[in-house]
Amino acid sequence: MEGEPRNKQQMRTERSANRLLKAAAEIVVEGGVAALTLANVGERAGYSRGLVTTRFGSKGNLLRALVERMTKTWAAAHVEPRVRGKSGLDSLLEMMREMREQMSRSPKEVIALQVLLFDALNPGSVTRPPIVEYNANLLRSVESSIEAGMHEGTIDSDLDAHREARWVLEGIRGIGFHWLLEPDDYDAVAALTHLIEVVEARLGVS
């Protein structure tokens, strides 16, 4: 019984943090990183600026938390359960299918991540370190899946795993770029579906 109030408080804290991060993502989609302030995030989420400051401390911390939510938290909640028990080509394709489903399930959040990816090109951006880390981890994950597939015999062993991993990631990033450039006319889900098919045909053993 003593733990019950603490559990309720934790739930309220998590709920408010989720609402604030959702609001932050929406503002980033609508106006970019420059449009984001602690005040308008609080207003959009229905809270005060003081609560946003208490939760995150600064705009930089809020942006880093947003990147964390969109990368590590998303991977733990959606990708890891999906690829559990799979390896090699199957693991890589399942990860890409989950990316595709995320585009349909939460398009604004995925677009917000694309905005943050391109904002990280600015050397002074607070999003640069976590985005560089995310990109490097994703590249390693794709490369590890390809290497495992080569070992298992599901992927052509004559391929260069690192080069193929870069090619896959470049394809994903290219889709994100076109989606940002033409949000109303570009079908990112169809483009990623095509990329998945090409990856399976290119890497798989006939």
Side-chain angles (χ1 to χ4, degrees):
M1 292 294 292
E2 290 182 2
E4 187 175 356
R6 194 161 47 245
N7 290 338
K8 289 182 178 179
Q9 177 62 37
Q10 183 179 2
M11 288 173 62
R12 283 196 296 270
T13 299
E14 290 175 358
R15 185 164 55 247
S16 62
N18 285 334
R19 286 177 62 179
L20 290 169
L21 290 171
K22 182 176 182 290
E26 291 172 355
I27 292 167
V28 166
V29 168
E30 293 165 9
V33 172
L36 187 75
T37 67
L38 297 182
N40 63 14
V41 168
E43 181 179 0
R44 173 72 64 97
Y47 298 115
S48 67
R49 172 177 177 159
L51 179 66
V52 190
T53 303
T54 299
R55 288 280 185 274
F56 300 104
S58 67
K59 176 177 175 176
N61 287 340
L62 174 59
L63 285 168
R64 283 186 283 270
L66 189 57
V67 173
E68 177 98 6
R69 170 191 169 97
M70 294 175 173
T71 57
K72 294 179 182 178
T73 303
W74 166 75
H78 299 286
V79 178
E80 290 174 14
R82 185 159 183 160
V83 303
R84 191 172 296 127
K86 295 181 173 65
S87 61
L89 185 58
D90 285 344
S91 176
L92 174 57
L93 295 175
E94 282 301 306
M95 180 196 72
M96 295 179 71
R97 289 175 186 130
E98 175 52 38
M99 287 181 173
R100 180 182 60 189
E101 290 186 16
Q102 181 73 353
M103 285 178 170
S104 297
R105 189 170 57 234
S106 305
K108 283 189 176 180
E109 192 160 298
V110 178
I111 291 174
L113 177 58
Q114 304 310 309
V115 174
L116 294 172
L117 283 166
F118 285 100
D119 179 73
L121 295 175
N122 174 6
S125 171
V126 297
T127 66
R128 187 177 179 88
I131 288 293
V132 168
E133 179 187 6
Y134 163 64
N135 205 62
N137 287 341
L138 184 55
L139 180 63
R140 279 194 295 269
S141 177
V142 173
E143 187 173 352
S144 295
S145 292
I146 293 173
E147 288 173 342
M150 289 176 171
H151 180 73
E152 296 165 353
T154 58
I155 293 178
D156 185 353
S157 60
D158 291 331
L159 296 173
D160 182 316
H162 183 70
R163 185 171 62 186
E164 295 301 321
R166 281 206 171 276
W167 170 78
V168 171
L169 193 54
E170 286 158 8
I172 293 169
R173 293 288 173 260
I175 289 170
F177 171 78
H178 285 289
W179 199 13
L180 280 183
L181 201 62
E182 306 171 82
D184 297 325
D185 300 320
Y186 184 73
D187 190 339
V189 172
L192 188 51
T193 296
H194 179 64
L195 180 61
I196 291 168
E197 292 169 353
V198 172
V199 167
E200 185 171 17
R202 177 183 173 92
L203 300 184
V205 175
S206 301

Short mmCIF file of all heavy atoms in Angstrom, two decimals, residues 153-203:
data_model
loop_
_atom_site.label_atom_id
_atom_site.label_comp_id
_atom_site.label_asym_id
_atom_site.label_seq_id
_atom_site.Cartn_x
_atom_site.Cartn_y
_atom_site.Cartn_z
N GLY A 153 24.53 -18.56 -44.47
CA GLY A 153 24.29 -18.96 -45.85
C GLY A 153 23.04 -18.38 -46.46
O GLY A 153 22.63 -18.79 -47.55
N THR A 154 22.41 -17.41 -45.77
CA THR A 154 21.20 -16.77 -46.32
C THR A 154 21.54 -15.51 -47.11
O THR A 154 20.68 -14.96 -47.80
CB THR A 154 20.21 -16.42 -45.20
OG1 THR A 154 20.84 -15.53 -44.26
CG2 THR A 154 19.73 -17.66 -44.48
N ILE A 155 22.79 -15.02 -46.98
CA ILE A 155 23.26 -13.85 -47.71
C ILE A 155 24.54 -14.22 -48.45
O ILE A 155 25.39 -14.94 -47.92
CB ILE A 155 23.50 -12.65 -46.76
CG1 ILE A 155 22.16 -12.16 -46.18
CG2 ILE A 155 24.21 -11.50 -47.47
CD1 ILE A 155 22.28 -11.01 -45.20
N ASP A 156 24.65 -13.72 -49.66
CA ASP A 156 25.81 -14.00 -50.51
C ASP A 156 27.11 -13.64 -49.78
O ASP A 156 27.34 -12.49 -49.44
CB ASP A 156 25.67 -13.19 -51.80
CG ASP A 156 26.76 -13.50 -52.82
OD1 ASP A 156 27.70 -14.23 -52.48
OD2 ASP A 156 26.66 -12.98 -53.94
N SER A 157 27.95 -14.62 -49.56
CA SER A 157 29.19 -14.41 -48.80
C SER A 157 30.25 -13.64 -49.59
O SER A 157 31.28 -13.24 -49.02
CB SER A 157 29.78 -15.76 -48.36
OG SER A 157 30.06 -16.57 -49.48
N ASP A 158 30.04 -13.43 -50.88
CA ASP A 158 31.01 -12.67 -51.68
C ASP A 158 30.82 -11.16 -51.54
O ASP A 158 31.64 -10.38 -52.03
CB ASP A 158 30.88 -13.04 -53.17
CG ASP A 158 31.36 -14.46 -53.46
OD1 ASP A 158 32.26 -14.93 -52.72
OD2 ASP A 158 30.84 -15.08 -54.39
N LEU A 159 29.74 -10.75 -50.89
CA LEU A 159 29.47 -9.33 -50.72
C LEU A 159 30.36 -8.73 -49.63
O LEU A 159 30.87 -9.43 -48.76
CB LEU A 159 28.00 -9.11 -50.37
CG LEU A 159 26.98 -9.52 -51.43
CD1 LEU A 159 25.56 -9.41 -50.86
CD2 LEU A 159 27.11 -8.65 -52.68
N ASP A 160 30.52 -7.41 -49.68
CA ASP A 160 31.22 -6.66 -48.63
C ASP A 160 30.16 -6.19 -47.63
O ASP A 160 29.34 -5.32 -47.94
CB ASP A 160 31.95 -5.47 -49.27
CG ASP A 160 32.75 -4.66 -48.26
OD1 ASP A 160 32.23 -4.39 -47.16
OD2 ASP A 160 33.89 -4.29 -48.57
N ALA A 161 30.16 -6.74 -46.42
CA ALA A 161 29.11 -6.47 -45.44
C ALA A 161 29.01 -4.99 -45.10
O ALA A 161 27.91 -4.43 -45.02
CB ALA A 161 29.34 -7.29 -44.17
N HIS A 162 30.15 -4.34 -44.91
CA HIS A 162 30.13 -2.92 -44.53
C HIS A 162 29.58 -2.07 -45.67
O HIS A 162 28.75 -1.18 -45.44
CB HIS A 162 31.54 -2.46 -44.17
CG HIS A 162 31.60 -1.04 -43.69
ND1 HIS A 162 31.08 -0.63 -42.48
CD2 HIS A 162 32.09 0.09 -44.28
CE1 HIS A 162 31.25 0.68 -42.33
NE2 HIS A 162 31.86 1.13 -43.42
N ARG A 163 30.01 -2.33 -46.88
CA ARG A 163 29.54 -1.55 -48.03
C ARG A 163 28.04 -1.76 -48.24
O ARG A 163 27.30 -0.81 -48.52
CB ARG A 163 30.31 -1.94 -49.28
CG ARG A 163 29.96 -1.09 -50.50
CD ARG A 163 30.90 -1.36 -51.65
NE ARG A 163 30.80 -2.75 -52.10
CZ ARG A 163 31.61 -3.28 -53.03
NH1 ARG A 163 32.58 -2.54 -53.54
NH2 ARG A 163 31.45 -4.53 -53.40
N GLU A 164 27.57 -3.00 -48.11
CA GLU A 164 26.15 -3.27 -48.29
C GLU A 164 25.31 -2.62 -47.18
O GLU A 164 24.22 -2.12 -47.43
CB GLU A 164 25.90 -4.78 -48.31
CG GLU A 164 26.53 -5.50 -49.49
CD GLU A 164 26.06 -4.98 -50.85
OE1 GLU A 164 24.86 -4.68 -50.98
OE2 GLU A 164 26.90 -4.87 -51.76
N ALA A 165 25.85 -2.62 -45.95
CA ALA A 165 25.14 -1.98 -44.84
C ALA A 165 25.00 -0.48 -45.10
O ALA A 165 23.93 0.11 -44.86
CB ALA A 165 25.87 -2.23 -43.53
N ARG A 166 26.04 0.13 -45.60
CA ARG A 166 25.98 1.56 -45.92
C ARG A 166 24.96 1.81 -47.03
O ARG A 166 24.21 2.80 -46.99
CB ARG A 166 27.36 2.08 -46.35
CG ARG A 166 28.29 2.34 -45.18
CD ARG A 166 29.33 3.38 -45.51
NE ARG A 166 30.08 3.77 -44.34
CZ ARG A 166 29.68 4.69 -43.46
NH1 ARG A 166 28.51 5.29 -43.64
NH2 ARG A 166 30.41 4.99 -42.41
N TRP A 167 24.93 0.92 -48.01
CA TRP A 167 23.97 1.07 -49.11
C TRP A 167 22.53 1.00 -48.58
O TRP A 167 21.67 1.80 -48.98
CB TRP A 167 24.22 -0.03 -50.15
CG TRP A 167 23.16 -0.12 -51.19
CD1 TRP A 167 22.99 0.70 -52.26
CD2 TRP A 167 22.08 -1.07 -51.23
NE1 TRP A 167 21.87 0.32 -52.98
CE2 TRP A 167 21.31 -0.76 -52.36
CE3 TRP A 167 21.71 -2.15 -50.43
CZ2 TRP A 167 20.17 -1.49 -52.71
CZ3 TRP A 167 20.58 -2.88 -50.77
CH2 TRP A 167 19.83 -2.55 -51.90
N VAL A 168 22.25 0.07 -47.68
CA VAL A 168 20.91 -0.06 -47.10
C VAL A 168 20.55 1.21 -46.34
O VAL A 168 19.45 1.77 -46.50
CB VAL A 168 20.83 -1.28 -46.16
CG1 VAL A 168 19.51 -1.28 -45.39
CG2 VAL A 168 20.97 -2.58 -46.95
N LEU A 169 21.47 1.69 -45.51
CA LEU A 169 21.19 2.88 -44.70
C LEU A 169 21.03 4.11 -45.58
O LEU A 169 20.17 4.96 -45.31
CB LEU A 169 22.32 3.09 -43.69
CG LEU A 169 22.06 4.10 -42.57
CD1 LEU A 169 20.77 3.77 -41.83
CD2 LEU A 169 23.23 4.12 -41.59
N GLU A 170 21.82 4.20 -46.64
CA GLU A 170 21.69 5.33 -47.56
C GLU A 170 20.31 5.31 -48.24
O GLU A 170 19.71 6.36 -48.48
CB GLU A 170 22.81 5.28 -48.60
CG GLU A 170 24.17 5.71 -48.03
CD GLU A 170 25.34 5.19 -48.85
OE1 GLU A 170 25.11 4.61 -49.94
OE2 GLU A 170 26.48 5.35 -48.38
N GLY A 171 19.81 4.12 -48.55
CA GLY A 171 18.48 4.01 -49.13
C GLY A 171 17.40 4.50 -48.17
O GLY A 171 16.49 5.24 -48.56
N ILE A 172 17.52 4.12 -46.90
CA ILE A 172 16.56 4.55 -45.88
C ILE A 172 16.62 6.07 -45.70
O ILE A 172 15.58 6.75 -45.63
CB ILE A 172 16.84 3.83 -44.53
CG1 ILE A 172 16.55 2.33 -44.68
CG2 ILE A 172 16.01 4.44 -43.41
CD1 ILE A 172 17.04 1.50 -43.50
N ARG A 173 17.84 6.61 -45.64
CA ARG A 173 17.99 8.06 -45.47
C ARG A 173 17.45 8.82 -46.69
O ARG A 173 16.86 9.90 -46.56
CB ARG A 173 19.47 8.40 -45.24
CG ARG A 173 20.03 7.89 -43.94
CD ARG A 173 19.48 8.66 -42.76
NE ARG A 173 19.89 8.05 -41.51
CZ ARG A 173 19.12 7.25 -40.77
NH1 ARG A 173 17.88 7.00 -41.15
NH2 ARG A 173 19.56 6.72 -39.65
N GLY A 174 17.65 8.26 -47.88
CA GLY A 174 17.14 8.91 -49.08
C GLY A 174 15.62 9.00 -49.08
O GLY A 174 15.04 10.02 -49.47
N ILE A 175 14.98 7.94 -48.61
CA ILE A 175 13.52 7.95 -48.51
C ILE A 175 13.08 9.04 -47.53
O ILE A 175 12.12 9.79 -47.80
CB ILE A 175 13.01 6.57 -48.06
CG1 ILE A 175 13.20 5.56 -49.21
CG2 ILE A 175 11.53 6.63 -47.64
CD1 ILE A 175 12.96 4.12 -48.80
N GLY A 176 13.78 9.15 -46.40
CA GLY A 176 13.45 10.19 -45.42
C GLY A 176 13.59 11.59 -46.01
O GLY A 176 12.75 12.47 -45.76
N PHE A 177 14.64 11.79 -46.80
CA PHE A 177 14.86 13.10 -47.42
C PHE A 177 13.72 13.47 -48.35
O PHE A 177 13.17 14.58 -48.30
CB PHE A 177 16.19 13.10 -48.18
CG PHE A 177 16.42 14.33 -49.02
CD1 PHE A 177 16.82 15.51 -48.42
CD2 PHE A 177 16.19 14.31 -50.38
CE1 PHE A 177 17.03 16.66 -49.19
CE2 PHE A 177 16.39 15.45 -51.15
CZ PHE A 177 16.81 16.63 -50.56
N HIS A 178 13.33 12.53 -49.23
CA HIS A 178 12.25 12.83 -50.18
C HIS A 178 10.92 13.04 -49.47
O HIS A 178 10.09 13.83 -49.91
CB HIS A 178 12.15 11.70 -51.21
CG HIS A 178 13.24 11.73 -52.23
ND1 HIS A 178 13.30 12.69 -53.22
CD2 HIS A 178 14.33 10.94 -52.40
CE1 HIS A 178 14.37 12.48 -53.97
NE2 HIS A 178 15.02 11.43 -53.49
N TRP A 179 10.71 12.33 -48.36
CA TRP A 179 9.47 12.50 -47.60
C TRP A 179 9.39 13.91 -47.01
O TRP A 179 8.33 14.54 -47.00
CB TRP A 179 9.39 11.44 -46.51
CG TRP A 179 8.01 11.22 -45.98
CD1 TRP A 179 6.84 11.65 -46.50
CD2 TRP A 179 7.65 10.48 -44.80
NE1 TRP A 179 5.76 11.24 -45.75
CE2 TRP A 179 6.24 10.51 -44.69
CE3 TRP A 179 8.38 9.78 -43.86
CZ2 TRP A 179 5.55 9.88 -43.66
CZ3 TRP A 179 7.70 9.15 -42.83
CH2 TRP A 179 6.31 9.20 -42.73
N LEU A 180 10.54 14.41 -46.52
CA LEU A 180 10.57 15.78 -46.00
C LEU A 180 10.36 16.79 -47.11
O LEU A 180 9.68 17.81 -46.92
CB LEU A 180 11.93 16.05 -45.34
CG LEU A 180 12.17 15.55 -43.93
CD1 LEU A 180 13.54 16.01 -43.44
CD2 LEU A 180 11.10 16.05 -42.97
N LEU A 181 10.95 16.54 -48.27
CA LEU A 181 10.89 17.48 -49.37
C LEU A 181 9.49 17.56 -49.98
O LEU A 181 9.04 18.65 -50.37
CB LEU A 181 11.91 17.07 -50.44
CG LEU A 181 12.38 18.13 -51.42
CD1 LEU A 181 13.09 19.27 -50.67
CD2 LEU A 181 13.33 17.51 -52.45
N GLU A 182 8.80 16.40 -50.07
CA GLU A 182 7.48 16.35 -50.69
C GLU A 182 6.51 15.58 -49.79
O GLU A 182 6.03 14.50 -50.15
CB GLU A 182 7.57 15.65 -52.04
CG GLU A 182 8.60 16.23 -52.99
CD GLU A 182 8.79 15.35 -54.22
OE1 GLU A 182 7.96 15.49 -55.15
OE2 GLU A 182 9.72 14.53 -54.23
N PRO A 183 6.20 16.12 -48.62
CA PRO A 183 5.39 15.37 -47.64
C PRO A 183 4.00 14.99 -48.13
O PRO A 183 3.45 13.97 -47.68
CB PRO A 183 5.32 16.33 -46.45
CG PRO A 183 5.59 17.69 -47.01
CD PRO A 183 6.55 17.47 -48.13
N ASP A 184 3.44 15.77 -49.03
CA ASP A 184 2.07 15.49 -49.49
C ASP A 184 2.03 14.62 -50.75
O ASP A 184 0.98 14.05 -51.07
CB ASP A 184 1.33 16.80 -49.77
CG ASP A 184 1.17 17.64 -48.51
OD1 ASP A 184 0.99 17.05 -47.43
OD2 ASP A 184 1.25 18.88 -48.61
N ASP A 185 3.14 14.55 -51.47
CA ASP A 185 3.14 13.85 -52.76
C ASP A 185 3.98 12.58 -52.78
O ASP A 185 3.82 11.76 -53.68
CB ASP A 185 3.65 14.79 -53.87
CG ASP A 185 2.79 16.03 -54.01
OD1 ASP A 185 1.55 15.89 -53.92
OD2 ASP A 185 3.34 17.13 -54.20
N TYR A 186 4.88 12.43 -51.81
CA TYR A 186 5.80 11.29 -51.83
C TYR A 186 5.26 10.17 -50.94
O TYR A 186 4.94 10.40 -49.77
CB TYR A 186 7.18 11.73 -51.33
CG TYR A 186 8.23 10.66 -51.40
CD1 TYR A 186 8.78 10.26 -52.61
CD2 TYR A 186 8.71 10.05 -50.24
CE1 TYR A 186 9.76 9.29 -52.69
CE2 TYR A 186 9.68 9.08 -50.30
CZ TYR A 186 10.21 8.70 -51.53
OH TYR A 186 11.19 7.73 -51.58
N ASP A 187 5.15 8.97 -51.49
CA ASP A 187 4.65 7.81 -50.73
C ASP A 187 5.84 7.08 -50.11
O ASP A 187 6.42 6.18 -50.72
CB ASP A 187 3.87 6.88 -51.66
CG ASP A 187 3.10 5.80 -50.90
OD1 ASP A 187 3.47 5.52 -49.75
OD2 ASP A 187 2.15 5.23 -51.47
N ALA A 188 6.18 7.47 -48.90
CA ALA A 188 7.36 6.89 -48.22
C ALA A 188 7.15 5.42 -47.90
O ALA A 188 8.11 4.63 -47.95
CB ALA A 188 7.67 7.67 -46.95
N VAL A 189 5.93 5.03 -47.57
CA VAL A 189 5.65 3.63 -47.24
C VAL A 189 5.88 2.75 -48.47
O VAL A 189 6.51 1.69 -48.39
CB VAL A 189 4.22 3.46 -46.71
CG1 VAL A 189 3.86 1.99 -46.56
CG2 VAL A 189 4.07 4.18 -45.37
N ALA A 190 5.39 3.20 -49.63
CA ALA A 190 5.60 2.44 -50.87
C ALA A 190 7.09 2.39 -51.23
O ALA A 190 7.59 1.36 -51.68
CB ALA A 190 4.80 3.08 -52.01
N ALA A 191 7.79 3.51 -51.01
CA ALA A 191 9.22 3.55 -51.32
C ALA A 191 10.00 2.58 -50.44
O ALA A 191 10.90 1.86 -50.92
CB ALA A 191 9.75 4.97 -51.14
N LEU A 192 9.65 2.52 -49.14
CA LEU A 192 10.35 1.61 -48.25
C LEU A 192 9.99 0.16 -48.57
O LEU A 192 10.83 -0.74 -48.46
CB LEU A 192 10.05 1.94 -46.79
CG LEU A 192 10.87 1.17 -45.74
CD1 LEU A 192 12.37 1.24 -46.02
CD2 LEU A 192 10.58 1.70 -44.34
N THR A 193 8.75 -0.09 -48.97
CA THR A 193 8.35 -1.43 -49.39
C THR A 193 9.21 -1.89 -50.57
O THR A 193 9.69 -3.03 -50.60
CB THR A 193 6.86 -1.45 -49.80
OG1 THR A 193 6.06 -1.13 -48.66
CG2 THR A 193 6.45 -2.82 -50.33
N HIS A 194 9.42 -0.99 -51.52
CA HIS A 194 10.26 -1.31 -52.68
C HIS A 194 11.70 -1.57 -52.25
O HIS A 194 12.34 -2.52 -52.72
CB HIS A 194 10.21 -0.17 -53.70
CG HIS A 194 11.06 -0.41 -54.91
ND1 HIS A 194 10.82 -1.43 -55.80
CD2 HIS A 194 12.17 0.24 -55.36
CE1 HIS A 194 11.72 -1.40 -56.76
NE2 HIS A 194 12.55 -0.40 -56.52
N LEU A 195 12.21 -0.75 -51.33
CA LEU A 195 13.58 -0.94 -50.86
C LEU A 195 13.73 -2.29 -50.17
O LEU A 195 14.73 -2.99 -50.36
CB LEU A 195 13.98 0.20 -49.90
CG LEU A 195 15.41 0.11 -49.34
CD1 LEU A 195 16.45 0.16 -50.46
CD2 LEU A 195 15.67 1.23 -48.33
N ILE A 196 12.75 -2.69 -49.38
CA ILE A 196 12.79 -3.99 -48.71
C ILE A 196 12.87 -5.12 -49.74
O ILE A 196 13.65 -6.06 -49.60
CB ILE A 196 11.54 -4.17 -47.80
CG1 ILE A 196 11.62 -3.21 -46.61
CG2 ILE A 196 11.43 -5.62 -47.31
CD1 ILE A 196 10.32 -3.10 -45.82
N GLU A 197 12.08 -4.99 -50.79
CA GLU A 197 12.10 -6.01 -51.85
C GLU A 197 13.45 -6.05 -52.55
O GLU A 197 13.97 -7.13 -52.85
CB GLU A 197 10.98 -5.71 -52.86
CG GLU A 197 9.58 -5.89 -52.28
CD GLU A 197 8.50 -5.33 -53.20
OE1 GLU A 197 8.84 -4.68 -54.22
OE2 GLU A 197 7.30 -5.54 -52.91
N VAL A 198 14.03 -4.88 -52.79
CA VAL A 198 15.33 -4.82 -53.47
C VAL A 198 16.43 -5.39 -52.57
O VAL A 198 17.30 -6.13 -53.05
CB VAL A 198 15.66 -3.36 -53.87
CG1 VAL A 198 17.09 -3.26 -54.40
CG2 VAL A 198 14.68 -2.86 -54.93
N VAL A 199 16.38 -5.07 -51.27
CA VAL A 199 17.37 -5.61 -50.33
C VAL A 199 17.30 -7.14 -50.30
O VAL A 199 18.32 -7.82 -50.34
CB VAL A 199 17.14 -5.03 -48.91
CG1 VAL A 199 17.94 -5.80 -47.87
CG2 VAL A 199 17.53 -3.55 -48.88
N GLU A 200 16.08 -7.67 -50.22
CA GLU A 200 15.92 -9.12 -50.18
C GLU A 200 16.47 -9.77 -51.45
O GLU A 200 17.16 -10.80 -51.40
CB GLU A 200 14.46 -9.47 -50.01
CG GLU A 200 14.20 -10.96 -49.83
CD GLU A 200 12.78 -11.29 -49.44
OE1 GLU A 200 11.90 -10.42 -49.62
OE2 GLU A 200 12.53 -12.41 -48.95
N ALA A 201 16.19 -9.15 -52.61
CA ALA A 201 16.66 -9.73 -53.87
C ALA A 201 18.18 -9.56 -54.03
O ALA A 201 18.86 -10.46 -54.54
CB ALA A 201 15.94 -9.04 -55.04
N ARG A 202 18.71 -8.44 -53.58
CA ARG A 202 20.14 -8.16 -53.76
C ARG A 202 21.00 -8.99 -52.84
O ARG A 202 22.06 -9.51 -53.24
CB ARG A 202 20.39 -6.66 -53.51
CG ARG A 202 21.86 -6.23 -53.60
CD ARG A 202 22.00 -4.76 -53.26
NE ARG A 202 23.38 -4.32 -53.17
CZ ARG A 202 24.09 -3.81 -54.18
NH1 ARG A 202 23.52 -3.70 -55.37
NH2 ARG A 202 25.33 -3.44 -54.01
N LEU A 203 20.59 -9.12 -51.57
CA LEU A 203 21.43 -9.80 -50.57
C LEU A 203 21.19 -11.30 -50.50
O LEU A 203 22.10 -12.06 -50.16
CB LEU A 203 21.20 -9.20 -49.18
CG LEU A 203 21.52 -7.70 -49.01
CD1 LEU A 203 21.34 -7.31 -47.55
CD2 LEU A 203 22.92 -7.37 -49.48
#
